[in-house]
Amino acid sequence: MNIKIIGVGKLKEKYFKAGIAEYAKRLGRFCKFEIVEVPDEKAPESLSQAEMDEVMAKEGQRILGKIKDREYVYALAIEGKERSSEAFAAEMQQLTTYGHSDITFVIGGSLGLSKDVMQRSNSQISFGKFTLPHQLMRLVLSEQIYRAFMINEGSPYHK
């Protein structure tokens, strides 16, 4: 099984890098886990809607260039479906049971994800109405993926 997180922008903070590295190490026994970074576009505060759409479109093309046809894609989006950790674990298990061995999660930049990326996604997932920094979201997502494997294994980690 291959699990990939595509994120816009570079991970800068050492403590996020350390946390993600720890979960990547733990996930190594379950899957091939990788994080792919695509460059972000400069987005000053005062952009028109058309300029914001252009920024998202450029980032979106970079994201889509990292996704293969066979990959099952989750787009992280506030308007996506919220799941419990148990429901997410069951969904991951079901995907692998039905032949989806390449699962990709996409975290957009500061403006979100383009329509093209949302259309390419097979499912949208939300971690609630909070807006979180994308660097923190990578860490939270890495932990939840690990938690899903632990739930499916019947491990006490989840308690």
Side-chain angles (χ1 to χ4, degrees):
M1 169 177 237
N2 298 305
I3 297 200
K4 175 168 57 180
I5 296 174
I6 300 173
V8 174
K10 286 235 177 276
L11 199 57
K12 296 175 183 89
E13 307 295 344
K14 283 187 179 131
Y15 52 90
F16 288 137
K17 286 180 180 178
I20 291 167
E22 176 60 29
Y23 287 111
K25 185 175 83 181
R26 292 180 187 190
L27 282 163
R29 65 186 254 236
F30 300 109
C31 64
K32 179 179 179 271
F33 178 76
E34 69 174 318
I35 294 189
V36 175
E37 294 179 337
V38 298
D40 55 349
E41 283 291 306
K42 297 282 180 261
E45 291 295 315
S46 57
L47 291 179
S48 68
Q49 186 60 52
E51 289 169 322
M52 287 192 278
D53 290 344
E54 187 178 328
V55 165
M56 287 188 292
K58 286 180 181 175
E59 291 174 347
Q61 288 310 308
R62 292 179 191 139
I63 291 166
L64 292 170
K66 303 293 183 186
I67 299 172
K68 294 177 182 71
D69 289 345
R70 70 178 185 277
E71 294 175 21
Y72 187 94
V73 178
Y74 282 99
L76 273 69
I78 288 176
E79 64 273 13
K81 180 182 169 202
E82 290 184 47
R83 295 153 172 85
S84 66
S85 294
E86 295 84 357
F88 178 59
E91 196 172 317
M92 294 277 290
Q93 180 109 47
Q94 193 167 21
L95 284 172
T96 57
T97 300
Y98 291 101
H100 293 285
S101 59
D102 296 303
I103 300 173
T104 297
F105 296 86
V106 180
I107 302 171
S110 60
L111 299 177
L113 292 168
S114 71
K115 288 185 199 117
D116 290 342
V117 173
M118 294 300 282
Q119 287 172 345
R120 169 57 184 91
S121 69
N122 300 91
S123 184
Q124 292 85 42
I125 191 167
S126 173
F127 282 76
K129 299 292 182 200
F130 288 116
T131 299
L132 297 172
H134 59 267
Q135 294 188 32
L136 176 59
M137 198 62 240
R138 285 189 211 177
L139 177 60
V140 171
L141 177 58
S142 299
E143 191 280 334
Q144 284 299 301
I145 293 168
Y146 175 70
R147 181 176 296 271
F149 279 107
M150 296 305 282
I151 289 169
N152 288 337
E153 187 182 72
S155 164
Y157 172 84
H158 176 58
K159 303 292 181 231

